Amino acid sequence: MSKPNKTVASSTTTADLKDDRKIKATNNNECENSTSVELTRPGQQIRPAISCEVAVGLVERLYGLKVLSVSELNSYYDHNFLVKIDPQSKGNPFVKDIWPHGYVLKVLNSMDTREDRIDAVHAVQRILGAKGFNCPQPILNIKGQDKSIEDIVYDLPIESDDKKSTAEFQESDAIRQGRHVVRLFIFVPGRLLVEVPYTPQLLLSLGRYICSLQKAIEGFSHPAMEQFQNIWSLDSVPQLLGFTSAIGDHEKRRLIEDIVESYMKEVVPKKNRFQKGVIHGDFNEQNILVRKVSPPEGDDSSSSPQPGVENASSDQNEHEICGILDFAHSSLSFYLYDVAILIMYAMLDSKVVDFLDVGGYVLAGYMSVDDRTLNEAEFEALKVCVASRYAQSLTMGAYTHSLNPTNEYLLMSSKNGWTQLRTFWTTPKDQLYDRWRIIIDANRQ
Protein backbone atom coordinates (compact mmCIF):
# COMPACT_ATOMS: atom_id res chain seq x y z
CA MET A 1 0.00 0.00 0.00
CA SER A 2 1.17 3.50 -0.71
CA LYS A 3 2.45 5.99 1.83
CA PRO A 4 -0.27 7.24 4.22
CA ASN A 5 -2.11 10.42 3.29
CA LYS A 6 -2.86 13.21 5.71
CA THR A 7 -6.29 14.70 6.35
CA VAL A 8 -6.42 17.92 8.36
CA ALA A 9 -9.77 18.56 9.99
CA SER A 10 -11.29 21.92 10.73
CA SER A 11 -12.93 22.69 14.07
CA THR A 12 -16.44 22.98 12.58
CA THR A 13 -18.70 19.93 12.52
CA THR A 14 -21.44 18.94 10.11
CA ALA A 15 -24.81 18.52 11.79
CA ASP A 16 -25.72 14.88 12.32
CA LEU A 17 -28.72 13.47 10.50
CA LYS A 18 -30.91 11.02 12.37
CA ASP A 19 -30.63 7.39 11.24
CA ASP A 20 -33.24 4.82 12.20
CA ARG A 21 -30.67 2.06 12.46
CA LYS A 22 -27.59 2.11 14.64
CA ILE A 23 -24.80 -0.26 13.78
CA LYS A 24 -22.57 -1.58 16.52
CA ALA A 25 -19.04 -0.90 15.72
CA THR A 26 -16.12 -2.20 17.61
CA ASN A 27 -17.76 -4.36 15.98
CA ASN A 28 -18.17 -2.85 12.65
CA ASN A 29 -14.54 -2.22 12.05
CA GLU A 30 -14.14 -5.45 10.03
CA CYS A 31 -10.54 -5.61 11.20
CA GLU A 32 -8.42 -6.07 14.25
CA ASN A 33 -4.74 -6.38 14.89
CA SER A 34 -3.41 -9.76 13.80
CA THR A 35 0.23 -10.60 13.73
CA SER A 36 1.23 -9.73 17.27
CA VAL A 37 -1.78 -10.61 19.44
CA GLU A 38 -1.78 -7.05 20.77
CA LEU A 39 -4.58 -6.34 23.24
CA THR A 40 -6.16 -3.07 24.28
CA ARG A 41 -4.43 -1.83 27.43
CA PRO A 42 -6.09 -0.02 30.34
CA GLY A 43 -5.87 3.73 29.77
CA GLN A 44 -5.16 3.39 26.05
CA GLN A 45 -7.00 5.85 23.79
CA ILE A 46 -7.30 4.53 20.22
CA ARG A 47 -10.62 5.86 18.89
CA PRO A 48 -10.39 8.42 16.04
CA ALA A 49 -11.91 11.69 17.30
CA ILE A 50 -13.33 13.02 14.03
CA SER A 51 -16.49 14.83 13.03
CA CYS A 52 -19.02 14.28 10.24
CA GLU A 53 -17.29 17.02 8.28
CA VAL A 54 -14.06 15.03 8.23
CA ALA A 55 -16.01 11.95 7.14
CA VAL A 56 -17.45 13.87 4.19
CA GLY A 57 -13.97 14.99 3.18
CA LEU A 58 -12.64 11.42 3.28
CA VAL A 59 -15.46 10.07 1.11
CA GLU A 60 -15.19 12.82 -1.48
CA ARG A 61 -11.38 12.80 -1.64
CA LEU A 62 -10.75 9.05 -1.50
CA TYR A 63 -13.83 7.77 -3.32
CA GLY A 64 -14.75 10.62 -5.65
CA LEU A 65 -18.38 10.55 -4.53
CA LYS A 66 -20.50 13.60 -3.74
CA VAL A 67 -22.03 13.29 -0.26
CA LEU A 68 -25.62 14.47 0.23
CA SER A 69 -25.93 13.62 3.92
CA VAL A 70 -23.94 12.01 6.71
CA SER A 71 -24.80 10.66 10.17
CA GLU A 72 -22.69 9.04 12.85
CA LEU A 73 -23.22 5.39 13.78
CA ASN A 74 -22.67 3.75 17.15
CA SER A 75 -19.17 2.49 17.90
CA TYR A 76 -16.81 1.34 20.62
CA TYR A 77 -13.29 1.95 19.35
CA ASP A 78 -13.82 3.11 15.77
CA HIS A 79 -15.71 5.89 14.03
CA ASN A 80 -18.38 4.86 11.51
CA PHE A 81 -20.67 7.02 9.41
CA LEU A 82 -23.70 6.41 7.21
CA VAL A 83 -23.35 8.49 4.05
CA LYS A 84 -25.88 9.08 1.30
CA ILE A 85 -24.40 9.80 -2.13
CA ASP A 86 -25.62 12.00 -5.00
CA PRO A 87 -27.03 9.57 -7.62
CA GLN A 88 -25.31 11.64 -10.31
CA SER A 89 -21.81 11.14 -8.85
CA LYS A 90 -19.42 10.03 -11.60
CA GLY A 91 -16.06 10.61 -9.92
CA ASN A 92 -15.22 6.95 -9.22
CA PRO A 93 -14.61 4.71 -12.28
CA PHE A 94 -15.13 1.62 -10.11
CA VAL A 95 -18.64 2.62 -8.98
CA LYS A 96 -21.04 2.25 -11.89
CA ASP A 97 -24.31 2.69 -10.03
CA ILE A 98 -24.90 4.53 -6.77
CA TRP A 99 -26.37 2.27 -4.06
CA PRO A 100 -29.67 3.94 -3.03
CA HIS A 101 -29.50 2.78 0.60
CA GLY A 102 -26.19 4.54 1.22
CA TYR A 103 -22.72 3.50 2.30
CA VAL A 104 -20.89 3.02 5.58
CA LEU A 105 -17.56 4.82 5.99
CA LYS A 106 -15.39 2.96 8.48
CA VAL A 107 -12.45 4.71 10.13
CA LEU A 108 -10.67 2.11 12.22
CA ASN A 109 -8.99 2.75 15.54
CA SER A 110 -5.27 3.45 15.55
CA MET A 111 -4.29 -0.13 16.47
CA ASP A 112 -5.93 -1.78 13.48
CA THR A 113 -3.70 -1.05 10.52
CA ARG A 114 -2.67 -4.61 9.60
CA GLU A 115 -3.19 -5.00 5.87
CA ASP A 116 -3.01 -8.80 5.95
CA ARG A 117 -5.76 -8.89 8.57
CA ILE A 118 -8.03 -6.66 6.49
CA ASP A 119 -7.37 -8.76 3.39
CA ALA A 120 -8.33 -11.92 5.27
CA VAL A 121 -11.60 -10.40 6.53
CA HIS A 122 -12.48 -9.13 3.05
CA ALA A 123 -11.83 -12.62 1.68
CA VAL A 124 -14.31 -14.12 4.17
CA GLN A 125 -16.93 -11.54 3.21
CA ARG A 126 -16.47 -12.24 -0.49
CA ILE A 127 -16.78 -16.01 0.04
CA LEU A 128 -19.98 -15.57 2.00
CA GLY A 129 -21.36 -13.10 -0.54
CA ALA A 130 -20.71 -15.58 -3.33
CA LYS A 131 -22.61 -18.24 -1.35
CA GLY A 132 -25.69 -16.10 -0.87
CA PHE A 133 -25.04 -14.54 2.54
CA ASN A 134 -25.99 -10.87 2.63
CA CYS A 135 -23.03 -9.08 4.23
CA PRO A 136 -21.14 -5.80 3.63
CA GLN A 137 -18.86 -5.73 0.60
CA PRO A 138 -16.00 -3.19 0.29
CA ILE A 139 -16.11 -0.46 -2.37
CA LEU A 140 -12.95 0.36 -4.34
CA ASN A 141 -11.61 3.89 -3.99
CA ILE A 142 -10.54 6.01 -6.96
CA LYS A 143 -7.16 4.23 -6.98
CA GLY A 144 -8.82 0.83 -7.25
CA GLN A 145 -7.99 -0.10 -3.64
CA ASP A 146 -10.42 -1.54 -1.09
CA LYS A 147 -8.64 0.29 1.76
CA SER A 148 -6.21 3.11 2.42
CA ILE A 149 -4.17 4.26 5.39
CA GLU A 150 -4.66 7.91 6.31
CA ASP A 151 -2.93 10.20 8.80
CA ILE A 152 -5.87 12.13 10.23
CA VAL A 153 -5.70 15.22 12.44
CA TYR A 154 -8.55 15.09 14.95
CA ASP A 155 -11.10 17.87 15.28
CA LEU A 156 -13.09 16.57 18.26
CA PRO A 157 -12.11 16.37 21.97
CA ILE A 158 -10.38 13.17 23.01
CA GLU A 159 -11.79 11.25 25.96
CA SER A 160 -9.41 9.67 28.47
CA ASP A 161 -9.43 8.19 31.95
CA ASP A 162 -6.15 9.99 32.61
CA LYS A 163 -5.91 13.09 34.77
CA LYS A 164 -4.65 15.32 32.01
CA SER A 165 -6.67 18.37 31.10
CA THR A 166 -8.13 18.91 27.64
CA ALA A 167 -5.62 21.72 27.12
CA GLU A 168 -2.72 19.36 27.83
CA PHE A 169 -4.05 16.88 25.29
CA GLN A 170 -4.51 19.53 22.65
CA GLU A 171 -0.88 20.60 23.03
CA SER A 172 0.33 17.15 21.96
CA ASP A 173 0.45 16.51 18.20
CA ALA A 174 0.88 12.80 18.92
CA ILE A 175 -2.43 12.76 20.73
CA ARG A 176 -4.24 15.05 18.29
CA GLN A 177 -3.73 12.84 15.25
CA GLY A 178 -3.59 9.18 14.35
CA ARG A 179 -3.01 6.73 11.52
CA HIS A 180 -6.21 4.94 10.53
CA VAL A 181 -7.43 2.49 7.93
CA VAL A 182 -10.31 3.99 5.94
CA ARG A 183 -12.83 1.92 3.96
CA LEU A 184 -16.27 2.28 2.42
CA PHE A 185 -18.92 -0.45 2.42
CA ILE A 186 -22.35 -0.87 0.90
CA PHE A 187 -24.99 -0.28 3.57
CA VAL A 188 -26.93 -3.52 4.07
CA PRO A 189 -30.65 -2.75 4.54
CA GLY A 190 -32.73 -4.53 7.16
CA ARG A 191 -33.93 -4.24 10.74
CA LEU A 192 -31.58 -5.00 13.58
CA LEU A 193 -32.38 -8.15 15.51
CA VAL A 194 -32.70 -6.13 18.72
CA GLU A 195 -35.73 -4.31 17.27
CA VAL A 196 -37.99 -7.38 16.95
CA PRO A 197 -39.39 -10.01 19.36
CA TYR A 198 -37.21 -13.07 19.82
CA THR A 199 -39.79 -15.77 19.18
CA PRO A 200 -38.94 -19.48 19.47
CA GLN A 201 -38.89 -19.75 15.67
CA LEU A 202 -36.50 -16.81 15.35
CA LEU A 203 -34.17 -18.26 17.99
CA LEU A 204 -34.18 -21.60 16.16
CA SER A 205 -33.34 -19.83 12.90
CA LEU A 206 -30.46 -17.98 14.59
CA GLY A 207 -28.93 -21.30 15.58
CA ARG A 208 -29.35 -22.65 12.05
CA TYR A 209 -27.91 -19.49 10.52
CA ILE A 210 -24.74 -19.44 12.59
CA CYS A 211 -24.10 -23.10 11.82
CA SER A 212 -24.71 -22.57 8.09
CA LEU A 213 -22.33 -19.60 8.07
CA GLN A 214 -19.62 -21.60 9.80
CA LYS A 215 -20.01 -24.40 7.26
CA ALA A 216 -19.93 -21.94 4.34
CA ILE A 217 -16.40 -20.81 5.26
CA GLU A 218 -15.24 -24.21 6.46
CA GLY A 219 -11.77 -24.92 5.12
CA PHE A 220 -10.85 -21.24 4.56
CA SER A 221 -7.42 -20.44 5.91
CA HIS A 222 -5.25 -17.35 6.13
CA PRO A 223 -2.27 -16.65 8.44
CA ALA A 224 -3.93 -13.48 9.75
CA MET A 225 -6.97 -15.49 10.86
CA GLU A 226 -4.75 -17.89 12.78
CA GLN A 227 -2.80 -15.15 14.54
CA PHE A 228 -5.68 -12.90 15.52
CA GLN A 229 -6.65 -12.19 19.11
CA ASN A 230 -8.02 -9.13 20.86
CA ILE A 231 -9.69 -8.24 24.14
CA TRP A 232 -13.07 -9.41 22.77
CA SER A 233 -11.80 -12.89 21.88
CA LEU A 234 -13.09 -15.43 24.38
CA ASP A 235 -9.49 -16.63 24.63
CA SER A 236 -8.77 -13.23 26.22
CA VAL A 237 -11.16 -13.62 29.16
CA PRO A 238 -8.30 -13.69 31.72
CA GLN A 239 -7.26 -10.21 30.50
CA LEU A 240 -10.50 -8.77 31.92
CA LEU A 241 -8.90 -8.56 35.34
CA GLY A 242 -6.89 -5.60 34.06
CA PHE A 243 -10.08 -3.63 33.36
CA THR A 244 -12.31 -4.37 36.38
CA SER A 245 -11.28 -1.15 38.14
CA ALA A 246 -13.91 0.57 35.94
CA ILE A 247 -16.62 -1.41 37.77
CA GLY A 248 -17.53 0.60 40.85
CA ASP A 249 -19.50 -2.08 42.69
CA HIS A 250 -17.38 -4.57 44.68
CA GLU A 251 -19.90 -7.42 44.35
CA LYS A 252 -19.99 -7.00 40.58
CA ARG A 253 -16.19 -7.05 40.40
CA ARG A 254 -16.14 -10.22 42.49
CA LEU A 255 -18.66 -11.83 40.12
CA ILE A 256 -16.40 -11.11 37.14
CA GLU A 257 -13.39 -12.49 39.02
CA ASP A 258 -15.32 -15.66 39.84
CA ILE A 259 -16.23 -16.18 36.18
CA VAL A 260 -12.62 -15.62 35.06
CA GLU A 261 -11.46 -18.16 37.63
CA SER A 262 -14.03 -20.69 36.37
CA TYR A 263 -12.95 -20.04 32.78
CA MET A 264 -9.37 -20.91 33.70
CA LYS A 265 -10.44 -24.10 35.46
CA GLU A 266 -13.28 -25.36 33.27
CA VAL A 267 -12.62 -24.04 29.75
CA VAL A 268 -8.85 -23.78 29.25
CA PRO A 269 -8.08 -27.45 30.04
CA LYS A 270 -10.74 -28.61 27.53
CA LYS A 271 -9.65 -26.50 24.55
CA ASN A 272 -7.72 -29.31 22.89
CA ARG A 273 -11.05 -31.13 22.48
CA PHE A 274 -12.99 -28.23 20.94
CA GLN A 275 -13.87 -28.24 17.21
CA LYS A 276 -12.06 -25.50 15.32
CA GLY A 277 -12.60 -23.37 12.21
CA VAL A 278 -13.10 -19.77 11.09
CA ILE A 279 -15.79 -18.12 13.20
CA HIS A 280 -17.63 -14.80 12.98
CA GLY A 281 -16.71 -13.94 16.55
CA ASP A 282 -19.40 -11.37 17.37
CA PHE A 283 -22.93 -12.65 16.75
CA ASN A 284 -24.82 -9.99 18.68
CA GLU A 285 -28.18 -8.26 18.43
CA GLN A 286 -26.68 -5.26 16.61
CA ASN A 287 -24.91 -7.32 13.93
CA ILE A 288 -27.80 -9.47 12.71
CA LEU A 289 -30.39 -8.10 10.27
CA VAL A 290 -33.93 -9.43 9.93
CA ARG A 291 -37.05 -8.85 7.85
CA LYS A 292 -40.70 -9.67 8.38
CA VAL A 293 -42.07 -12.86 6.84
CA SER A 294 -45.53 -14.29 6.41
CA PRO A 295 -45.86 -17.98 7.34
CA PRO A 296 -47.17 -20.32 4.61
CA GLU A 297 -50.95 -20.66 4.57
CA GLY A 298 -52.05 -23.31 7.00
CA ASP A 299 -48.73 -23.30 8.87
CA ASP A 300 -49.41 -22.97 12.59
CA SER A 301 -45.95 -23.99 13.80
CA SER A 302 -45.23 -20.55 15.24
CA SER A 303 -48.30 -20.79 17.47
CA SER A 304 -47.54 -24.31 18.73
CA PRO A 305 -46.77 -24.46 22.47
CA GLN A 306 -43.06 -24.16 23.19
CA PRO A 307 -41.17 -24.53 26.49
CA GLY A 308 -40.21 -21.31 28.25
CA VAL A 309 -42.48 -18.99 26.23
CA GLU A 310 -43.66 -16.19 28.52
CA ASN A 311 -45.33 -13.53 26.36
CA ALA A 312 -46.67 -15.38 23.33
CA SER A 313 -49.11 -13.48 21.13
CA SER A 314 -51.07 -14.87 18.21
CA ASP A 315 -50.50 -11.69 16.19
CA GLN A 316 -46.74 -11.63 16.73
CA ASN A 317 -44.91 -11.19 13.44
CA GLU A 318 -42.25 -13.71 12.55
CA HIS A 319 -38.95 -12.55 11.10
CA GLU A 320 -36.19 -14.19 9.14
CA ILE A 321 -32.49 -13.38 9.07
CA CYS A 322 -31.57 -11.34 6.00
CA GLY A 323 -28.03 -10.17 6.69
CA ILE A 324 -24.97 -10.29 8.90
CA LEU A 325 -22.65 -7.38 9.74
CA ASP A 326 -19.26 -6.83 11.31
CA PHE A 327 -16.56 -9.39 10.66
CA ALA A 328 -14.06 -7.50 12.82
CA HIS A 329 -13.57 -10.42 15.17
CA SER A 330 -13.45 -13.24 12.64
CA SER A 331 -10.66 -15.66 13.38
CA LEU A 332 -9.57 -19.27 13.34
CA SER A 333 -10.99 -20.28 16.69
CA PHE A 334 -13.51 -22.60 18.31
CA TYR A 335 -17.03 -23.06 16.93
CA LEU A 336 -18.22 -23.21 20.54
CA TYR A 337 -17.35 -19.54 20.98
CA ASP A 338 -19.76 -18.45 18.23
CA VAL A 339 -22.55 -20.45 19.87
CA ALA A 340 -21.84 -19.05 23.34
CA ILE A 341 -21.67 -15.46 22.08
CA LEU A 342 -24.96 -15.78 20.21
CA ILE A 343 -26.71 -17.34 23.22
CA MET A 344 -25.52 -14.55 25.51
CA TYR A 345 -26.72 -11.68 23.31
CA ALA A 346 -30.01 -13.42 22.52
CA MET A 347 -30.61 -13.87 26.25
CA LEU A 348 -29.93 -10.20 26.89
CA ASP A 349 -33.02 -8.92 25.05
CA SER A 350 -35.32 -11.95 25.22
CA LYS A 351 -38.83 -10.89 26.25
CA VAL A 352 -40.96 -13.64 24.66
CA VAL A 353 -38.90 -16.61 25.80
CA ASP A 354 -37.57 -17.00 29.35
CA PHE A 355 -33.93 -15.95 28.99
CA LEU A 356 -32.75 -19.13 30.71
CA ASP A 357 -34.37 -21.16 27.91
CA VAL A 358 -32.82 -19.22 25.03
CA GLY A 359 -29.80 -21.53 24.87
CA GLY A 360 -32.06 -24.51 24.25
CA TYR A 361 -33.61 -22.95 21.16
CA VAL A 362 -30.30 -21.73 19.73
CA LEU A 363 -28.77 -25.18 20.24
CA ALA A 364 -31.80 -26.93 18.73
CA GLY A 365 -31.42 -24.83 15.58
CA TYR A 366 -27.66 -25.20 15.48
CA MET A 367 -27.77 -28.98 15.85
CA SER A 368 -30.43 -29.36 13.15
CA VAL A 369 -27.99 -28.45 10.33
CA ASP A 370 -26.47 -31.62 8.86
CA ASP A 371 -26.48 -33.23 12.30
CA ARG A 372 -23.99 -30.66 13.63
CA THR A 373 -23.52 -31.05 17.37
CA LEU A 374 -21.38 -30.05 20.32
CA ASN A 375 -19.14 -32.73 21.73
CA GLU A 376 -19.09 -33.56 25.44
CA ALA A 377 -16.21 -31.20 26.28
CA GLU A 378 -17.87 -28.30 24.42
CA PHE A 379 -21.24 -28.85 26.06
CA GLU A 380 -19.66 -29.00 29.51
CA ALA A 381 -17.82 -25.71 28.89
CA LEU A 382 -20.77 -23.88 27.30
CA LYS A 383 -22.25 -22.30 30.43
CA VAL A 384 -18.92 -20.77 31.47
CA CYS A 385 -18.33 -19.51 27.93
CA VAL A 386 -21.75 -17.81 27.88
CA ALA A 387 -21.05 -16.23 31.28
CA SER A 388 -17.61 -15.17 30.06
CA ARG A 389 -19.18 -13.21 27.21
CA TYR A 390 -21.47 -11.47 29.70
CA ALA A 391 -18.34 -10.64 31.71
CA GLN A 392 -16.55 -9.24 28.66
CA SER A 393 -19.50 -7.12 27.57
CA LEU A 394 -20.18 -5.69 31.02
CA THR A 395 -16.56 -5.08 31.96
CA MET A 396 -15.44 -3.58 28.66
CA GLY A 397 -18.65 -1.55 28.42
CA ALA A 398 -17.93 -0.01 31.82
CA TYR A 399 -14.28 0.58 30.98
CA THR A 400 -14.91 2.15 27.57
CA HIS A 401 -17.67 4.32 29.04
CA SER A 402 -15.16 5.60 31.59
CA LEU A 403 -13.14 6.89 28.62
CA ASN A 404 -16.17 8.28 26.81
CA PRO A 405 -18.87 9.03 29.42
CA THR A 406 -21.17 10.76 26.92
CA ASN A 407 -21.57 7.57 24.84
CA GLU A 408 -24.50 5.79 26.53
CA TYR A 409 -24.46 3.15 23.80
CA LEU A 410 -21.49 1.59 25.59
CA LEU A 411 -23.72 0.67 28.55
CA MET A 412 -26.45 -1.09 26.58
CA SER A 413 -25.55 -4.51 27.96
CA SER A 414 -25.61 -3.28 31.55
CA LYS A 415 -29.34 -2.49 31.52
CA ASN A 416 -30.32 -6.15 31.88
CA GLY A 417 -26.89 -7.73 31.92
CA TRP A 418 -25.89 -7.65 35.56
CA THR A 419 -29.22 -8.98 36.80
CA GLN A 420 -29.31 -11.69 34.15
CA LEU A 421 -25.70 -12.69 34.76
CA ARG A 422 -26.25 -13.15 38.50
CA THR A 423 -29.30 -15.36 37.84
CA PHE A 424 -27.61 -17.30 35.07
CA TRP A 425 -24.41 -17.83 37.06
CA THR A 426 -26.21 -19.06 40.19
CA THR A 427 -28.47 -21.45 38.28
CA PRO A 428 -27.01 -24.96 38.71
CA LYS A 429 -25.54 -26.22 35.45
CA ASP A 430 -27.44 -29.52 35.58
CA GLN A 431 -30.74 -27.67 36.02
CA LEU A 432 -29.94 -25.27 33.16
CA TYR A 433 -28.87 -28.06 30.81
CA ASP A 434 -31.99 -30.10 31.63
CA ARG A 435 -34.12 -27.15 30.48
CA TRP A 436 -32.12 -26.91 27.27
CA ARG A 437 -32.35 -30.65 26.56
CA ILE A 438 -36.15 -30.56 26.86
CA ILE A 439 -36.27 -27.80 24.22
CA ILE A 440 -33.79 -29.59 21.94
CA ASP A 441 -35.81 -32.81 22.14
CA ALA A 442 -39.09 -30.93 21.48
CA ASN A 443 -37.68 -29.43 18.27
CA ARG A 444 -36.03 -32.48 16.75
CA GLN A 445 -37.14 -32.96 13.14
Side-chain angles (χ1 to χ4, degrees):
M1 187 177 291
S2 59
K3 179 178 167 184
N5 301 305
K6 177 171 283 192
T7 295
V8 180
S10 72
S11 59
T12 341
T13 63
T14 300
D16 285 356
L17 300 178
K18 296 296 182 181
D19 176 35
D20 61 359
R21 192 180 96 194
K22 298 298 183 183
I23 299 179
K24 186 174 183 179
T26 303
N27 294 338
N28 261 349
N29 58 17
E30 317 293 348
C31 152
E32 285 283 356
N33 154 353
S34 59
T35 58
S36 61
V37 190
E38 184 178 354
L39 302 178
T40 303
R41 299 183 300 274
Q44 186 176 17
Q45 178 63 46
I46 60 176
R47 190 172 188 260
I50 60 174
S51 67
C52 287
E53 185 177 56
V54 174
V56 171
L58 289 169
V59 172
E60 296 188 344
R61 178 172 63 82
L62 299 175
Y63 291 88
L65 302 173
K66 176 65 176 176
V67 176
L68 293 180
S69 66
V70 58
S71 57
E72 186 175 350
L73 300 173
N74 284 328
S75 68
Y76 266 83
Y77 301 130
D78 312 302
H79 229 131
N80 301 330
F81 301 86
L82 174 64
V83 293
K84 297 292 181 69
I85 302 299
D86 185 342
Q88 303 304 315
S89 287
K90 304 294 183 183
N92 189 327
F94 303 100
V95 177
K96 302 303 180 184
D97 299 301
I98 299 301
W99 184 241
H101 302 287
Y103 299 83
V104 176
L105 177 74
K106 295 180 176 294
V107 183
L108 301 192
N109 67 76
S110 57
M111 286 177 59
D112 298 338
T113 57
R114 304 298 311 193
E115 294 186 53
D116 58 345
R117 171 64 187 167
I118 297 171
D119 291 339
V121 171
H122 286 181
V124 168
Q125 291 171 285
R126 291 187 179 105
I127 290 171
L128 290 173
K131 293 187 177 183
F133 288 84
N134 196 14
C135 61
Q137 299 296 325
I139 299 299
L140 299 182
N141 60 29
I142 57 176
K143 295 181 179 179
Q145 302 169 334
D146 58 11
K147 58 188 175 297
S148 66
I149 297 179
E150 305 295 320
D151 286 330
I152 302 176
V153 178
Y154 304 151
D155 67 332
L156 294 181
I158 296 176
E159 305 289 349
S160 175
D161 64 349
D162 209 327
K163 299 299 183 182
K164 294 180 180 179
S165 67
T166 301
E168 288 177 305
F169 278 120
Q170 289 176 338
E171 290 174 0
S172 170
D173 288 339
I175 293 293
R176 295 303 305 164
Q177 63 181 326
R179 179 166 295 182
H180 302 280
V181 174
V182 177
R183 293 167 300 156
L184 192 69
F185 288 84
I186 287 176
F187 181 84
V188 181
R191 295 186 68 184
L192 293 176
L193 176 66
V194 71
E195 299 172 354
V196 305
Y198 300 177
T199 64
Q201 291 302 315
L202 182 55
L203 292 171
L204 288 166
S205 68
L206 286 169
R208 288 192 292 268
Y209 188 87
I210 189 176
C211 187
S212 298
L213 186 145
Q214 287 177 350
K215 292 177 74 67
I217 51 179
E218 201 169 27
F220 173 78
S221 63
H222 191 289
M225 285 289 175
E226 298 173 10
Q227 298 158 349
F228 169 77
Q229 187 179 340
N230 78 342
I231 193 62
W232 287 96
S233 305
L234 275 177
D235 281 335
S236 300
V237 166
Q239 304 296 329
L240 290 178
L241 298 181
F243 296 87
T244 54
S245 60
I247 302 171
D249 185 280
H250 174 74
E251 290 186 6
K252 290 178 179 178
R253 285 200 306 273
R254 183 68 192 101
L255 177 59
I256 300 302
E257 292 165 358
D258 189 29
I259 291 169
V260 171
E261 183 179 350
S262 296
Y263 175 90
M264 296 297 295
K265 291 179 178 179
E266 300 181 38
V267 177
V268 173
K270 297 183 175 73
K271 285 184 180 181
N272 63 347
R273 288 180 279 166
F274 294 169
Q275 302 170 81
K276 201 167 188 178
V278 173
I279 67 171
H280 178 274
D282 196 18
F283 271 103
N284 69 64
E285 78 287 1
Q286 302 280 336
N287 288 336
I288 300 168
L289 300 178
V290 297
R291 63 187 171 207
K292 190 184 300 184
V293 295
S294 300
E297 190 173 346
D299 180 6
D300 61 353
S301 59
S302 62
S303 60
S304 301
Q306 288 278 8
V309 177
E310 299 178 324
N311 301 306
S313 172
S314 59
D315 61 352
Q316 239 162 19
N317 293 313
E318 283 293 347
H319 293 80
E320 65 180 2
I321 302 166
C322 66
I324 180 72
L325 306 174
D326 182 12
F327 290 80
H329 297 168
S330 296
S331 66
L332 179 64
S333 189
F334 303 115
Y335 291 135
L336 169 66
Y337 287 176
D338 261 352
V339 177
I341 290 167
L342 173 58
I343 289 174
M344 177 261 151
Y345 285 112
M347 290 169 64
L348 194 63
D349 291 291
S350 183
K351 299 178 179 64
V352 176
V353 174
D354 186 319
F355 82 94
L356 290 177
D357 290 317
V358 164
Y361 287 103
V362 171
L363 288 172
Y366 185 84
M367 296 164 66
S368 70
V369 180
D370 296 336
D371 296 323
R372 189 71 164 257
T373 188
L374 301 182
N375 63 36
E376 183 180 356
E378 292 168 328
F379 197 68
E380 284 301 306
L382 180 56
K383 181 189 176 185
V384 177
C385 286
V386 173
S388 295
R389 188 53 165 199
Y390 268 111
Q392 286 180 314
S393 184
L394 293 168
T395 301
M396 296 311 298
Y399 165 71
T400 312
H401 187 261
S402 73
L403 296 181
N404 187 2
T406 62
N407 191 347
E408 294 301 316
Y409 166 75
L410 301 171
L411 298 180
M412 286 181 64
S413 295
S414 68
K415 293 177 181 178
N416 302 322
W418 287 109
T419 301
Q420 282 191 357
L421 179 55
R422 287 192 192 94
T423 302
F424 179 79
W425 192 238
T426 56
T427 300
K429 184 165 70 173
D430 289 346
Q431 179 182 325
L432 181 70
Y433 284 8
D434 283 344
R435 295 175 70 146
W436 289 359
R437 288 188 182 99
I438 290 171
I439 295 168
I440 293 169
D441 290 341
N443 286 279
R444 290 190 189 279
Q445 296 180 351

